[in-house]
Amino acid sequence: METEKDNIQDPLSPPLGGGREGLGFGSEVILPYNDEESKGEQIEQMFDSIAGTYDHLNHILSFGIDIYWRKKGISYLKPFAPADIIDIATGTGDLAISLHRAFNSAQITGIDLSEGMLEVARQKTQKKGIQEQVRFEQQDCLALTFPDNSFDAATIAFGIRNFENIRQGLAEIYRVLKPGGHLMILEFSNPQRFPMKQLYRFYSNTYIPFWGWLLSKDKAAYNYLPDSIRAFPQGEEMTGLLDAAGFTNTAFKTYTSGICSMYTGEKQ
């Protein structure tokens, strides 16, 4: 396991840098479009804008490796056999549908801010005939409508860096998890070793914005992506946030030379 011990900051301390000083920290202050609207409003607008091309672009930009990362996340949950799972920032539902394949007797609930992304997700489940087992709702992860202790597991794949308030989002996830429930987060991270560090910098600064603009026509969305990855709290910094939210047995692993990280924790 690769860890990043340098520049680790107390998760309860003031802003970690970048963006609108004092209004948040890290990725919370990285915005897609402007400084007038809230991050939540802009994230909803951004994903509505790119929903139609998102899946195609996602596989191009990740070279299909995202499928492998999701399998790793599901493998973490396998020993716990969750019966009720919430997939937060579900997007077009890829992880939610994969969770159904892995736990076919489980009820999967996917939530997202973007109705455009959710419509794509619903079309997928309808084609597969699994719309009763995998349901999607438009919800704000900072104010979930579910009762306390509702789910055996919670997952987030490449969406937590879009949270307007990471601490509040984690508190809500903790609230809706049952005692003994597990959290699994997949998120992009910044490689720290040569040559992947330099290659990834070129990839994120050049390749991602170019293809994002070419295929989605929303250049701002794919400039936002690498900026938000760079600003997101990573490694022990992120597990510190999980600890502060009340999770125990927190840990992280990195994959593909540090391009992706998996964060895990348990509600006691």
Side-chain angles (χ1 to χ4, degrees):
M1 178 179 74
E2 300 172 84
T3 61
E4 301 170 15
K5 296 184 180 294
D6 295 334
N7 300 319
I8 293 173
Q9 184 166 332
D10 183 342
L12 298 180
S13 62
L16 299 176
R20 302 179 297 171
E21 193 79 14
L23 296 184
F25 75 93
S27 57
E28 294 175 355
V29 297
I30 304 297
L31 305 175
Y33 299 120
N34 58 64
D35 289 329
E36 285 73 47
E37 298 171 292
S38 71
K39 179 160 184 171
E41 290 172 321
Q42 293 185 55
I43 291 298
E44 181 179 359
Q45 176 187 346
M46 181 182 78
F47 281 109
D48 281 347
S49 168
I50 64 176
T53 57
Y54 179 82
D55 282 341
H56 183 52
L57 254 174
N58 192 38
H59 294 310
I60 287 177
L61 295 178
S62 70
F63 303 102
I65 305 173
D66 58 306
I67 297 169
Y68 163 77
W69 296 332
R70 288 186 179 90
K71 286 181 179 178
K72 287 294 184 181
I74 291 170
S75 294
Y76 163 75
L77 293 175
K78 273 286 181 71
F80 313 120
D84 289 285
I85 306 172
I86 181 170
D87 184 39
I88 297 162
T90 192
T92 59
D94 279 355
L95 180 57
I97 292 167
S98 296
L99 286 164
H100 170 71
R101 286 198 295 265
F103 309 104
N104 54 25
S105 62
Q107 177 66 54
I108 316 295
T109 303
I111 68 110
D112 202 279
L113 275 176
S114 168
E115 185 58 39
M117 298 286 274
L118 291 173
E119 184 53 36
V120 176
R122 292 186 188 106
Q123 291 172 10
K124 291 179 182 179
T125 55
Q126 287 166 5
K127 286 180 181 178
K128 296 176 182 294
I130 57 173
Q131 63 268 31
E132 294 302 315
Q133 295 79 32
V134 186
R135 299 177 181 173
F136 298 104
E137 298 182 20
Q138 185 180 30
Q139 287 209 31
D140 184 348
C141 65
L142 305 186
L144 298 170
T145 63
F146 306 106
D148 297 355
N149 308 320
S150 293
F151 299 98
D152 300 304
T155 60
I156 313 172
F158 312 108
I160 193 169
R161 72 181 186 284
N162 298 321
F163 283 17
E164 187 168 352
N165 187 316
I166 295 171
R167 296 185 187 97
Q168 186 176 340
L170 291 175
E172 273 294 272
I173 295 166
Y174 190 88
R175 179 184 68 78
V176 301
L177 275 176
K178 297 175 184 177
H182 292 84
L183 170 63
M184 187 285 296
I185 299 170
L186 293 169
E187 191 50 85
F188 293 113
S189 48
N190 295 307
Q192 299 298 305
R193 297 181 180 178
F194 177 86
M196 185 58 75
K197 180 178 181 179
Q198 289 72 21
L199 289 170
Y200 188 70
R201 184 179 299 151
F202 172 81
Y203 163 81
S204 62
N205 289 339
T206 305
Y207 183 83
I208 290 176
F210 173 76
W211 282 102
W213 168 79
L214 188 67
L215 296 180
S216 77
K217 305 306 179 186
D218 190 336
K219 187 175 183 180
Y222 289 93
N223 284 328
Y224 162 82
L225 174 60
D227 289 345
S228 64
I229 294 170
R230 278 191 290 269
F232 182 74
Q234 297 174 21
E236 291 181 3
E237 193 176 338
M238 182 59 193
T239 56
L241 287 171
L242 296 179
D243 293 336
F247 290 96
T248 60
N249 300 321
T250 59
F252 76 96
K253 295 181 179 179
T254 61
Y255 300 100
T256 320
S257 299
I259 293 175
C260 175
S261 295
M262 178 169 69
Y263 303 94
T264 56
E266 180 179 353
K267 177 177 177 177
Q268 289 295 336

